[in-house]
Amino acid sequence: MVPYFVVKVIWTLDGLRGGGLHDGAWSKLDWTALNGLTVAMAGAAILLGLALGQRWGMRIPGWLILLPAWIGTGFLVPMIPILPALLLTTGGGDTAADVVVPAWEVALVSVSFAGFGLGMAVAVPLYVWQRWPHALTGRTPTDQAVVRTSGAVERAVANLAAAVSVALGLPQLYWGLGGSLGLDQGALDHRDAQWHVLTVNSGLWALIAAWGVWTISRQRAGASVRTPMLLTWVASGCLFAWGSWKAIFTYAVTSSFPSPEAPVTLAVENHFGALAGAMAVVVLLLLITRPTSAVSAVTSPADSLDRLRKSV
């Protein structure tokens, strides 16, 4: 993340000197404040990477590690498979951003994002394995009484999360593959190659989230759920991180190029995507903190919440 951090510091200083982009959508935003925010985000990412790889990171409260790790993983890991396609389709636009941003800066930012995404994909599971080894055993409780006692809440939340994720994923996949029903017919010309790649990717990860949360909430006692757990972690983070981020910018600025999706469609995608991601990760955390025997399963709701709090 250091190259990205350096680029953003340069852009922030440029904004303080009166530089930056002042056309189109960027005219509605404070160039200095926006890049100052991303400097802080990059600094937090660097600290997170160090915490995941150093012994002192084991002494940090669990939530202070897991929350940014979940969001950072959701932002970047799903982008790794499509990064080559995005790089190949870069350019060809006529916005101010296209003519101002030098190619070397784009390359540094891409290297930073790809490297950080790969780092999260490897480091977070290893960190969790070392600190909470029971969390990645990959198996549900072996006692059916435990499943019946503690699985009702997970299943209800999982049903809702899966339904919302499918409702978001299928239309995005349809639009990304060329469908136009439900889009703004007057803005179809704004669907460039990158839009198609990103839309298909978003739709696929929404469906992965639906499959993952549905699977982990319905496995029989003693079944292996390691792969669905890991995919649910990444996909739920993707829904929450990108949904929240795009929702903020939807309110903050009007794009210079109208989106093929209507404003209300974008609002539904972003807000409900963030909600579905949050629900999916709650199901995952409840599964991880399930008691392992029927004796410990007979607990009060307060005991269950306390166990969940202590686990993170």
Side-chain angles (χ1 to χ4, degrees), residues 7-276:
V7 168
K8 287 297 186 172
V9 168
I10 293 174
W11 288 3
T12 302
L13 295 176
D14 180 60
L16 292 173
R17 295 173 53 250
L21 303 179
H22 304 289
D23 298 326
W26 294 101
S27 63
K28 306 294 184 181
L29 296 175
D30 187 318
W31 174 261
T32 306
L34 179 63
N35 284 290
L37 172 63
T38 52
V39 167
M41 293 172 63
I46 292 171
L47 291 176
L48 174 62
L50 293 173
L52 290 171
Q54 302 293 324
R55 292 186 182 275
W56 53 264
M58 293 290 178
R59 299 190 296 271
I60 298 176
W63 70 269
L64 198 55
I65 285 284
L66 292 180
L67 180 60
W70 176 57
I71 294 175
T73 299
F75 264 131
L76 297 179
V77 172
M79 304 299 290
I80 294 175
I82 64 170
L83 187 59
L86 292 178
L87 292 176
L88 289 175
T89 55
T90 297
D94 56 359
T95 66
D98 291 324
V99 297
V100 170
V101 181
W104 66 269
E105 291 184 350
V106 174
L108 288 182
V109 170
S110 300
V111 168
S112 290
F113 284 170
F116 187 74
L118 288 171
M120 290 295 98
V122 175
V124 173
L126 291 177
Y127 179 92
V128 172
W129 180 266
Q130 293 177 22
R131 186 165 179 178
W132 302 288
H134 70 281
L136 288 180
T137 56
R139 294 196 177 276
T140 57
T142 57
D143 196 314
Q144 287 286 0
V146 174
V147 177
R148 288 193 299 270
T149 303
S150 59
V153 174
E154 294 99 306
R155 185 164 298 186
V157 179
N159 287 343
L160 184 56
V164 173
S165 298
V166 169
L168 294 173
L170 289 179
Q172 289 181 316
L173 199 59
Y174 164 73
W175 292 330
L177 293 176
S180 60
L181 185 64
L183 295 177
D184 181 356
Q185 299 301 308
L188 295 182
D189 291 341
H190 299 300
R191 298 183 299 173
D192 58 11
Q194 282 199 355
W195 182 88
H196 283 284
V197 171
L198 290 170
T199 303
V200 168
N201 192 56
S202 297
L204 286 175
W205 280 103
L207 295 179
I208 290 173
W211 172 82
V213 73
W214 179 273
T215 301
I216 64 176
S217 66
R218 280 168 171 76
Q219 284 290 344
R220 65 185 184 277
S224 175
V225 290
R226 183 175 297 166
T227 298
M229 283 170 56
L230 292 174
L231 287 176
T232 300
W233 171 265
V234 177
S236 64
C238 177
L239 286 172
F240 181 83
W242 283 108
S244 301
W245 181 256
K246 289 189 289 187
I248 293 172
F249 270 86
T250 297
Y251 284 118
V253 63
T254 301
S255 175
S256 298
F257 296 93
S259 171
E261 299 99 328
V264 65
T265 302
L266 287 176
V268 169
E269 287 179 355
N270 297 333
H271 290 85
F272 279 88
L275 176 62

